[in-house]
Amino acid sequence: MKKILLNFLVATACIAGNGLMAQEVSTITLKPTDSAPIINKNIYGHFAEHLGRLIYDGLYVGEDSSIPNTKGVRNDIIKALRDLDIPVLRWPGGCFADTYHWKDGIGPKEDRPTIVNQWWGGVTEDNSFGTHNFLDLCEELETEPYLAANVGSGTVKELADWVQYVNHAGVSPMSKLRQENGRKEPWKVTYWGVGNEAWGCGGHMTAEYYANVYKKYATFMTDWNNGTGLYRIASGANAGDYHWTEVLMRDIPTNLLEGVALHSYSVIDWSNKGSATGFTKKQYFQTMQRALHMEELVTRHSAIMDKYDPENKVALIVDEWGGWYDVEEGTNPGFLYQQNTMRDAMIAGTTLNIFNNHARRVKMANLAQAVNVLQAVILTDGEKMLLTPTYWVMQMYKVHQDATLIPLNLEGENYVMDGEELPAISASASKAKDGKVHISLVNIDSENAHEVSIDLSEMTLSDLSAKILTSKNVQDYNSFEDPESIKPVSFKDFKMKKGKLDVEVPPFSVIVFGEK
């Protein structure tokens, strides 16, 4: 008997050493509740700054281009963004916003002055893409515009005039000017950013100084929007600057404030960001550390807001987030053009899960950026266009837009690298207006699959289907030579029995389950 037991133990050790021992199981329990918040569709927003090849030679090619377009905007991009159901689009910046004077971008194009983009590459722009172009594009996309106002080098009157120009239906100097420029009806813009990164490129202000500046601007932003109200968003904190949020919530009355912004990028080292495609396993792990830090940021900023706003009137707006690496070799350093790999899909999946799970306070987020810049969902090269892995994550996750959050409890295994650990599994769940439940799962582990068991016993679900986004290597990306290398495919390798959903989630993959 002792010999048999010894042989069994030796055999078991050998199996474990060969990596064949049954894995530990991560467990997720869905806990639906009547008090759960709605996941605001604006969490799936995007950002279009005058930066590099985003506007010019990206979105906008001009009416006389050989590339099929609508009012100068590429038709293929319009279709791709419409297919994402993008809810809100932020423009014209970013740092660019605080040097942009909106009146330079209206009227006959031949009369518009040029501008030197001092922030991004020092290029000269001709202002051919302006307020009318952007707001008409938003109408074409059926998306809400989010205008970022010039506080750094602008004036209160300049912003007040812009609000009147785009929103006033009656008789006024600015509505008259709008009509002279070919637009009779106002656009009724709701979302307005009052400056950008006031702590940095927006003026290097202190929180106390900016709070007073904000109140001045917000006071003169009159609601011309047929009584529906303006949604004013204050320039918020740089990542973990909790003092900034404390001051804004303390010093700005809630009747002048609808949202407070937050910016955070998944950057390894600002002085050495690393390659977008040629990264090591260690660099990948570090990027995931930065991405998952969003959980702490949102939690702590929300706690400060809860102290001053227990009724949850003011939203947390994460209007810049995403991965940031060194630019592609041979491109202008100021254009921030980078490829988009499965690493970026991991950033997108985990970050959106965080936002979903914090939907009580997070009401909008804007991925940086839409086309050809940073963690773009679309890349272009002349007439060519491709959809990135990040695009496909956003496409898979759009089922969560305006759905009711299903709270969950997750107890999972860790992703381990050089003695450091991160949660391997990320998840969020929701119930759509049609009653169908969707669950999004991410495994960030670059080496190992993870077994996940989801307890659905408190739910009554019909048959589930699923899609998966994954690839052979975490460095893989869609190229102009092979633009569909990475895209979602049907996934059937799961079991559902007696209120349990069991699935093995492959390394660096995103899976979204939904009721048929």
Side-chain angles (χ1 to χ4, degrees):
M1 177 65 72
K2 291 182 179 179
K3 185 175 181 180
I4 294 174
L5 178 61
L6 178 62
N7 289 340
F8 171 77
L9 292 175
V10 170
T12 301
C14 290
I15 292 173
N18 290 329
L20 300 177
M21 177 67 81
Q23 294 172 298
E24 295 292 330
V25 178
S26 296
T27 60
I28 298 173
T29 305
L30 270 57
K31 295 285 187 180
T33 172
D34 292 339
S35 61
I38 300 296
I39 298 172
N40 195 307
K41 64 181 180 180
N42 289 337
I43 284 173
Y44 291 82
H46 294 262
F47 180 24
E49 183 170 5
H50 283 245
L51 199 173
R53 293 174 47 248
L54 198 162
I55 301 297
Y56 301 109
D57 195 35
L59 272 174
Y60 186 75
V61 292
E63 291 87 341
D64 58 352
S65 174
S66 61
I67 299 173
N69 66 84
T70 300
K71 295 182 180 179
V73 178
R74 294 177 62 135
N75 289 342
D76 52 3
I77 289 181
I78 290 174
K79 181 183 185 305
L81 294 179
R82 283 178 66 94
D83 288 347
L84 275 190
D85 295 336
I86 70 167
V88 63
L89 184 61
R90 180 176 179 238
W91 176 85
C95 293
F96 181 82
D98 281 299
T99 55
Y100 182 68
H101 300 282
W102 69 270
K103 288 183 180 179
D104 293 344
I106 62 173
K109 292 186 179 181
E110 62 270 18
D111 296 338
R112 298 180 190 179
T114 57
I115 182 175
V116 176
N117 193 331
Q118 69 183 67
W119 296 109
W120 308 117
V123 296
T124 299
E125 300 184 10
D126 63 4
N127 273 308
S128 57
F129 188 93
T131 296
H132 287 250
N133 305 82
F134 175 69
L135 296 180
D136 288 349
L137 169 62
C138 288
E139 284 189 334
E140 185 72 26
L141 295 173
E142 299 181 5
T143 190
E144 290 286 335
Y146 170 12
L147 294 177
N150 183 347
V151 169
S153 67
T155 65
V156 171
K157 184 179 186 304
E158 184 177 12
L159 174 52
D161 283 350
W162 203 11
V163 176
Q164 186 183 121
Y165 185 87
V166 302
N167 280 359
H168 189 31
V171 177
S172 76
M174 290 300 104
S175 61
K176 180 175 182 291
L177 180 59
R178 181 190 69 240
Q179 292 174 41
E180 290 173 352
N181 288 326
R183 174 75 183 200
K184 181 180 179 181
E185 299 299 324
W187 288 279
K188 301 179 183 178
V189 176
T190 298
Y191 299 103
W192 295 82
V194 183
N196 169 78
E197 295 188 358
W199 41 264
C201 62
H204 287 98
M205 306 178 196
T206 64
E208 291 78 5
Y209 181 82
Y210 171 71
N212 285 325
V213 170
Y214 173 89
K215 285 185 287 187
K216 181 179 178 181
Y217 274 76
T219 298
F220 292 95
M221 295 176 68
T222 303
D223 173 22
W224 299 107
N225 197 3
N226 292 338
T228 57
L230 298 182
Y231 198 102
R232 297 158 296 187
I233 301 169
S235 173
N238 178 15
D241 185 353
Y242 302 109
H243 173 74
W244 189 277
T245 300
E246 182 93 31
V247 170
L248 266 54
M249 294 302 299
R250 182 193 70 202
D251 292 356
I252 300 174
T254 55
N255 67 318
L256 290 177
L257 181 67
E258 284 71 47
V260 172
L262 170 65
H263 290 181
S264 179
Y265 288 93
S266 302
V267 180
I268 297 173
D269 181 348
W270 283 103
S271 61
N272 182 22
K273 302 182 191 73
S275 169
T277 57
F279 52 89
T280 65
K281 293 179 182 179
K282 180 64 175 179
Q283 288 172 317
Y284 170 77
F285 186 89
Q286 291 173 322
T287 302
M288 291 301 101
Q289 283 180 314
R290 307 301 187 269
L292 292 179
H293 184 56
M294 184 66 77
E295 174 70 35
E296 178 181 333
L297 294 175
V298 170
T299 299
R300 293 186 62 179
H301 283 291
S302 295
I304 295 168
M305 297 175 75
D306 288 345
K307 182 169 67 172
Y308 294 97
D309 176 34
E311 296 180 356
N312 199 36
K313 293 180 178 179
V314 181
L316 181 59
I317 310 293
V318 190
D319 56 18
E320 290 188 28
W321 66 273
W324 193 326
Y325 319 112
D326 292 335
V327 302
E328 295 302 305
E329 187 175 351
T331 65
N332 188 322
F335 283 9
L336 306 188
Y337 177 78
Q338 62 188 40
Q339 251 298 349
N340 195 289
T341 69
M342 282 301 300
R343 173 172 63 170
D344 297 287
M346 298 299 98
I347 294 174
T350 55
T351 303
L352 291 171
N353 282 339
I354 291 168
F355 294 157
N356 288 347
N357 290 325
H358 285 272
R360 183 188 68 86
R361 182 65 75 173
V362 179
K363 301 298 183 184
M364 184 194 295
N366 304 83
L367 175 67
Q369 294 189 17
V371 182
N372 290 333
V373 172
L374 298 178
Q375 192 171 337
V377 293
I378 296 170
L379 300 178
T380 68
D381 180 15
E383 294 184 355
K384 298 177 182 178
M385 187 201 79
L386 64 79
L387 307 177
T388 68
T390 297
Y391 177 96
W392 291 117
V393 174
M394 300 289 276
Q395 195 268 348
M396 293 167 71
Y397 272 51
K398 71 180 185 179
V399 293
H400 292 303
Q401 291 187 22
D402 279 345
T404 300
L405 178 71
I406 301 175
L408 54 80
N409 180 62
L410 192 162
E411 296 182 7
E413 293 302 298
N414 288 329
Y415 167 32
V416 181
M417 170 72 67
D418 295 339
E420 296 185 276
E421 297 181 341
L422 293 172
I425 300 297
S426 166
S428 65
S430 68
K431 187 173 185 178
K433 292 179 180 179
D434 63 5
K436 293 183 178 179
V437 170
H438 297 93
I439 305 166
S440 48
L441 282 181
V442 182
N443 175 16
I444 65 168
D445 195 321
S446 66
E447 298 290 324
N448 302 301
H450 282 260
E451 296 283 350
V452 178
S453 181
I454 304 176
D455 184 351
L456 304 172
S457 59
E458 295 191 34
M459 314 285 297
T460 302
L461 301 183
S462 59
D463 289 342
L464 295 179
S465 62
K467 287 189 175 181
I468 187 170
L469 187 76
T470 191
S471 190
K472 183 178 180 181
N473 301 298
V474 73
Q475 293 88 356
D476 289 346
Y477 57 88
N478 289 334
S479 67
F480 292 106
E481 294 71 34
D482 190 5
E484 296 190 356
S485 175
I486 301 171
K487 62 186 304 184
V489 296
S490 178
F491 180 75
K492 298 181 179 180
D493 192 14
F494 62 91
K495 296 179 181 179
M496 188 171 173
K497 186 177 181 181
K498 295 182 179 180
K500 290 278 180 94
L501 171 62
D502 294 323
V503 57
E504 182 179 81
V505 187
F508 56 90
S509 63
V510 179
I511 303 175
V512 175
F513 296 92
E515 289 187 272
K516 294 181 180 178

